[in-house]
Amino acid sequence: MQVKETYRTNIIVGYTIIFYVLMVYKFFNGMFLFQMQPSFFYTREDLFTWIFMLTGFHKWLLNNQLGCIIMDILFYAAPIIFYLVYRQLIKNQKSNLNHFNIISLVAVVMLSINVVYIQCYTMYPTNSIEAHIAWMLFPIVFVAKDINVFKLLTDGIRYFLLFFLISAGIWKIAQGGIFNTHQMSNILLLQHKEIFVITPQHWYAQFIQFLINTRKLSYALYLAGTIFELSCIIGFFTKKYDIFIVLGWLFFLCSDHFIMRIPYYEISALLLPFIISVENSNSKTD
């Protein structure tokens, strides 16, 4: 099936909407860089991080309120600037290669900003880099000038998320967690130990304590999550059940936040290739 420019437009619009909805969420939860005011960092065990650390940029932002504000402005302004440039150039029906060269250049700039920001952001005590991977993958897709290459790279993001989910399920089996009925109770105890000391009478602490004590229920949640992750393998063979993968993943993200206090919502952008299809995008232009 021929891929029309509408498909690229829908992906970019979807990316922009998700990005700014999450931006509002992060602002009101004090998750901007300048709001957290980082004063120390930790070293991740990966080669790319070690190379990045040679620049010393992550140290420059420590206790640097103005520097953090500048980085926040650059990071949160980049998607809307990219969208406006794309919209302005693409609305001209005679869009030529030069226009797409400009779009690709802006995408490269956004990618550079995102990589630097996310590297620093996740080296401070905030969240894992895996949760922010969508902001580094999609700008790579946006660099593509040819619509067929764009579609190919978007499919790559689809299969990346499927691999991400399936490998998590396989890891639980390989590490033996799925065979230990105490696994989830132990995880909850480790994850929430401080609230049992600080606010033991709070309803949330009582709820987590209930899950810990009710070993069969907590293990059932762990088992259900593993089954969902492993079942995503069907996405490699057909797109018929994409809606169930999307709903299951969104439910998983909400549950992970509520039960584990891990806000992984930013990875939800990786669901765009499951939600936006070439067929639906083409039908809107026919």
Side-chain angles (χ1 to χ4, degrees):
M1 176 177 291
Q2 181 184 6
V3 183
K4 297 183 179 179
E5 189 61 34
T6 311
Y7 177 73
R8 188 191 331 239
T9 302
N10 290 343
I11 291 290
I12 292 175
V13 170
Y15 172 90
T16 306
I17 291 174
I18 293 175
F19 184 92
Y20 285 106
V21 168
L22 290 172
M23 182 195 75
V24 173
Y25 163 79
K26 291 169 69 177
F27 178 78
F28 285 104
N29 283 274
M31 298 169 68
F32 275 36
L33 202 53
F34 84 91
Q35 293 172 315
M36 295 185 299
Q37 301 181 23
S39 57
F40 66 93
F41 65 91
Y42 70 93
T43 304
R44 285 194 301 271
E45 297 181 355
D46 69 82
L47 180 61
F48 187 82
T49 296
W50 296 342
I51 295 174
F52 176 79
M53 292 178 70
L54 293 176
T55 66
F57 189 78
H58 60 293
K59 295 180 181 179
W60 179 73
L61 289 177
L62 294 178
N63 299 308
N64 184 348
Q65 184 78 339
L66 178 60
C68 290
I69 291 175
I70 293 174
M71 288 305 298
D72 280 329
I73 292 174
L74 291 174
F75 179 68
Y76 290 108
I80 191 62
I81 292 175
F82 172 78
Y83 170 74
L84 292 175
V85 170
Y86 170 78
R87 187 66 180 268
Q88 181 65 29
L89 294 178
I90 208 65
K91 71 179 183 180
N92 181 358
Q93 297 299 321
K94 295 182 180 179
S95 296
N96 53 41
L97 184 59
N98 288 332
H99 289 168
F100 283 106
N101 285 336
I102 295 173
I103 293 171
S104 296
L105 178 61
V106 177
V108 170
V109 172
M110 180 168 67
L111 173 62
S112 302
I113 292 172
N114 288 7
V115 168
V116 173
Y117 184 92
I118 292 168
Q119 276 290 334
C120 292
Y121 189 87
T122 55
M123 287 174 65
Y124 308 138
T126 55
N127 206 331
S128 67
I129 195 170
E130 290 84 358
H132 301 78
I133 194 66
W135 311 137
M136 293 190 285
L137 290 180
F138 271 105
I140 297 175
V141 177
F142 298 157
V143 171
K145 303 172 188 177
D146 184 82
I147 188 61
N148 292 310
V149 175
F150 181 93
K151 175 62 169 59
L152 182 64
L153 293 175
T154 306
D155 286 341
I157 289 182
R158 168 193 170 86
Y159 295 120
F160 172 85
L161 179 58
L162 291 173
F163 173 79
F164 181 87
L165 294 171
I166 296 167
S167 61
I170 294 175
W171 176 257
K172 292 180 176 63
I173 295 175
Q175 294 298 307
I178 196 66
F179 307 110
N180 180 8
T181 57
H182 295 270
Q183 182 74 7
M184 190 62 182
S185 294
N186 294 337
I187 292 174
L188 289 171
L189 183 60
L190 180 64
Q191 181 72 9
H192 301 289
K193 55 185 180 297
E194 73 280 2
I195 69 172
F196 297 133
V197 176
I198 300 173
T199 56
Q201 300 304 319
H202 191 270
W203 70 266
Y204 184 74
Q206 295 292 314
F207 170 71
I208 297 300
Q209 187 65 61
F210 168 75
L211 289 179
I212 293 174
N213 295 336
T214 313
R215 178 170 50 85
K216 291 183 179 180
L217 176 59
S218 60
Y219 175 73
L221 295 174
Y222 186 83
L223 180 62
T226 304
I227 292 174
F228 165 70
E229 290 168 339
L230 293 174
S231 66
C232 288
I233 193 171
I234 196 171
F236 281 103
F237 305 101
T238 180
K239 296 183 179 180
K240 291 182 180 179
Y241 306 102
D242 279 7
I243 183 61
F244 297 106
I245 294 177
V246 170
L247 295 177
W249 184 228
L250 291 176
F251 180 77
F252 185 93
L253 291 176
C254 293
S255 300
D256 204 28
H257 189 191
F258 180 66
I259 297 176
M260 295 295 295
R261 293 185 300 157
I262 301 177
Y264 256 43
Y265 297 121
E266 292 186 74
I267 206 170
S268 62
L270 296 180
L271 289 172
L272 284 173
F274 294 83
I275 300 171
I276 300 173
S277 67
V278 173
E279 292 80 6
N280 291 336
S281 298
N282 287 353
S283 64
K284 293 180 181 180
T285 61
D286 292 339

